[in-house]
């Protein structure tokens, strides 16, 4: 721990607990959120949001109970619909409204934005789709893993995100097009309760940036500012499509992530452990040597069944995994990709996720129906 404290001071580690730990006693990062009324939910105790449930984003509950008991008295007096009409009167379409499975910082800041800061009441001018943004974020170094402060600048109408290695620097380290940008909270993977992963296309690969901010409000505001800029771009690029069809494509989460082993194109190579991330919108299964790598080692495009793509729940005959035996085979028009899962539960989850992507239609907003070559 002493060594870790020294590393935090020099910036090699973010000043937050490692995966599996939490600043909130009794709560494990990545654990399933408590349902309304279930034990283990975390109830807000601030003066203006007393009784707001961080775990389920529920409206209100008593500080020592749940919405099934004394919280009903509040609901009887105020009414859920009336309260929603007041506190959610002006929620922008791009603003991310968290679900029960989302990370704590998204849910907490949604509650605070509504009831404490009242950002969405009638007459509020907090959020506009055309507002640029500038600020400092802690960014993980590509090669050394150090987290250092970097200046980020978001230009909405230009559709660009820039970051600078020096706060007063004139030349940006990177200029990122919003066209292929995605942002997703990956708190457990990054090991930080405010950890945000930003991805974009660079030289035919997917570049990953891992950032955080000490303030939960600041990192969630950055996330929603990126969503606003993405929506502005999509409206400009696809003016014929209604906004309702554009909204699901603003940002996205991975459908599933985790470790599997894979072999090479000849299926005679040794199985190697890799980190996998399934992007349903891009229809791509990306794999990395380590979860926080800046670039993927390879990727598998998952087209439609009608175009010759198949998912099988077994290893090909005569092939055995290194340590793990629960196999998955992805068949593409070019080759087979063979994987081994650590157990049957992981195998089932991967199969369900891959089959889901296989069944998705190809849309105007989706990737072209051309296969990407998986790298060894």
């Amino acid at each position: 721990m002493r060594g870790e404290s020294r590393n935090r001071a020099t910036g090699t580690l973010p000043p937050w607990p490692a995966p599996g730990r939490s600043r909130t006693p009794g709560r494990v990062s990545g654990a399933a959120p408590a349902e309304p009324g279930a034990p283990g939910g975390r109830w807000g105790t601030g003066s203006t949001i007393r009784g707001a449930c961080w775990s389920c984003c529920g409206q209100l509950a008593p500080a020592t109970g749940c919405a099934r008991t004394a919280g009903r008295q509040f609901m009887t007096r105020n009414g859920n619909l009336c309260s929603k009409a007041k506190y959610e009167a002006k929620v922008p379409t791009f603003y991310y409204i968290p679900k029960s499975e989302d990370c704590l910082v998204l849910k907490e800041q949604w509650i605070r934005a509504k009831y404490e800061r009242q950002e969405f009441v009638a007459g509020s001018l907090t959020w506009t789709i055309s507002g640029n943004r500038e600020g400092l974020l802690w960014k993980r170094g590509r090669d050394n893993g150090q987290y250092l402060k970097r200046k980020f600048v978001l230009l909405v109408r230009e559709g660009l995100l820039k970051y600078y290695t020096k706060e007063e620097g004139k030349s940006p380290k990177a200029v990122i097009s919003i066209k292929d940008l995605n942002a997703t909270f990956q708190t457990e993977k990054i090991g930080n309760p405010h950890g945000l992963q930003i991805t974009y296309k660079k030289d035919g690969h997917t570049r990953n940036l891992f950032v955080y901010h000490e303030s939960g409000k600041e990192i969630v505001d950055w996330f929603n500012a990126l969503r606003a800029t993405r929506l502005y771009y999509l409206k400009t690029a696809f003016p014929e499509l209604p906004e309702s069809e554009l909204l699901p494509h603003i940002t996205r989460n991975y459908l599933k992530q985790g470790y599997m082993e894979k072999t090479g194109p000849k299926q005679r190579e040794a199985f190697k452990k890799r980190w996998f991330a399934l992007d349903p919108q891009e229809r791509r299964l990306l794999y990395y040597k380590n979860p926080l790598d800046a670039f993927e080692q390879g990727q598998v495009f998952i087209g439609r069944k009608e175009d010759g793509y198949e998912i099988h729940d077994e290893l090909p005959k005569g092939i055995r995994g290194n340590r793990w035996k629960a196999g998955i085979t992805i068949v593409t028009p070019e080759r087979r990709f063979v994987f081994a899962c650590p157990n049957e539960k992981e195998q089932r989850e991967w199969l369900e996720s891959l089959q889901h992507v296989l069944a998705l239609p190809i849309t105007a907003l989706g990737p072209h129906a051309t296969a990407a070559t998986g790298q060894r």
Side-chain angles (χ1 to χ4, degrees):
M1 290 300 294
R2 291 181 181 177
E4 182 172 310
S5 299
R6 289 196 297 270
N7 286 338
R8 292 193 193 285
T10 59
T12 57
L13 286 174
W16 292 96
R21 297 186 179 183
S22 172
R23 294 170 67 90
T24 304
R27 182 174 180 87
V28 178
S29 300
E35 292 297 323
R42 180 182 171 196
W43 305 104
T45 55
S47 58
T48 53
I49 50 175
R50 182 174 180 83
C53 177
W54 299 153
S55 295
C56 65
C57 301
Q59 160 125 7
L60 286 171
T64 57
C66 72
R68 297 177 184 175
T69 54
R72 290 176 179 172
Q73 299 175 5
F74 178 92
M75 304 306 293
T76 301
R77 293 194 301 270
N78 296 274
N80 188 46
L81 292 178
C82 292
S83 180
K84 184 174 182 179
K86 175 182 178 180
Y87 292 108
E88 299 181 30
K90 296 293 182 180
V91 179
T93 54
F94 61 79
Y95 195 96
Y96 186 82
I97 299 177
K99 307 175 184 65
S100 61
E101 65 269 19
D102 283 316
C103 62
L104 182 61
V105 68
L106 275 172
K107 293 182 283 189
E108 179 176 345
Q109 292 306 314
W110 166 242
I111 295 292
R112 290 189 182 279
K114 283 199 299 182
Y115 303 124
E116 187 177 70
R117 301 190 293 269
Q118 298 189 14
E119 294 180 4
F120 313 122
V121 298
S124 174
L125 299 177
T126 302
W127 287 100
T128 63
I129 199 169
S130 59
N132 296 335
R133 188 173 186 85
E134 178 178 323
L136 297 175
L137 297 174
W138 289 90
K139 174 190 167 293
R140 188 178 191 272
R142 182 184 67 180
D143 300 319
N144 59 16
Q146 269 195 329
Y147 280 86
L148 299 173
K149 278 190 175 181
R150 297 289 182 251
K151 183 176 80 170
F152 283 78
V153 177
L154 179 63
L155 304 174
V156 176
R157 298 193 179 277
E158 293 86 346
L160 297 174
L161 175 67
K162 303 178 182 181
Y163 77 85
Y164 300 76
T165 55
K166 296 182 179 180
E167 189 171 347
E168 302 301 327
K170 296 182 179 180
S171 299
K173 175 68 173 179
V175 179
I176 303 165
S177 172
I178 208 74
K179 175 184 176 183
D180 299 311
L181 183 143
N182 184 48
T184 173
F185 277 94
Q186 297 291 315
T187 58
E188 186 172 1
K189 182 168 70 176
I190 296 173
N192 186 295
H194 300 164
L196 184 69
Q197 179 176 347
I198 299 171
T199 64
Y200 61 96
K201 297 292 176 58
K202 182 178 181 181
D203 301 328
H205 291 272
T206 299
R207 173 73 165 102
N208 300 313
L209 301 180
F210 301 100
V211 301
Y212 75 91
H213 195 280
E214 297 92 335
S215 164
K217 177 183 183 302
E218 185 71 12
I219 198 67
V220 172
D221 284 353
W222 267 104
F223 175 62
N224 281 298
L226 290 169
R227 286 177 56 84
T229 309
R230 279 279 299 162
L231 181 58
Y232 182 86
Y233 159 75
L234 290 172
K235 283 185 171 183
T236 304
F238 302 96
E240 72 282 2
L241 295 180
E243 188 177 80
S244 59
E245 292 187 24
L246 301 177
L247 291 176
H249 296 270
I250 298 178
T251 58
R252 60 198 181 274
N253 293 323
Y254 293 114
L255 190 57
K256 181 168 175 58
Q257 298 183 86
Y259 282 107
M260 291 191 288
E261 291 181 341
K262 72 173 293 292
T263 184
K266 297 179 181 179
Q267 276 91 64
R268 292 193 297 269
E269 299 87 351
F271 277 79
K272 296 180 180 179
K273 185 178 178 182
R274 296 290 182 259
W275 176 267
F276 289 81
L278 180 59
D279 185 335
Q281 186 170 301
E282 290 289 318
R283 308 182 72 103
R284 297 183 191 276
L285 178 65
L286 302 106
Y287 55 91
Y288 304 82
K289 188 174 182 179
N290 299 297
L292 299 181
D293 284 349
F295 292 96
E296 83 280 13
Q297 283 195 326
Q299 55 182 268
V300 183
F301 180 83
I302 303 171
R304 301 180 305 169
K305 190 173 183 180
E306 297 87 340
D307 297 322
Y309 293 83
E310 301 175 10
I311 312 291
H312 299 290
D313 60 347
E314 59 187 0
L315 297 173
K317 188 176 181 179
I319 297 177
R320 298 185 64 182
N322 180 26
R323 295 177 299 160
W324 300 338
K325 310 304 179 185
I328 293 177
T329 301
I330 301 177
V331 178
T332 76
E334 287 74 29
R335 57 165 284 194
R336 294 183 306 184
F337 294 86
V338 180
F339 312 97
C341 303
N343 53 59
E344 291 184 354
K345 178 179 179 294
E346 281 292 301
Q347 181 196 37
R348 287 193 301 270
E349 292 179 2
W350 276 112
L351 284 169
E352 289 175 3
S353 300
L354 291 165
Q355 292 285 2
H356 173 80
V357 175
L358 187 69
L360 291 174
I362 302 288
T363 67
L365 290 169
H368 297 295
T370 57
T373 302
Q375 300 176 14
R376 184 174 173 178

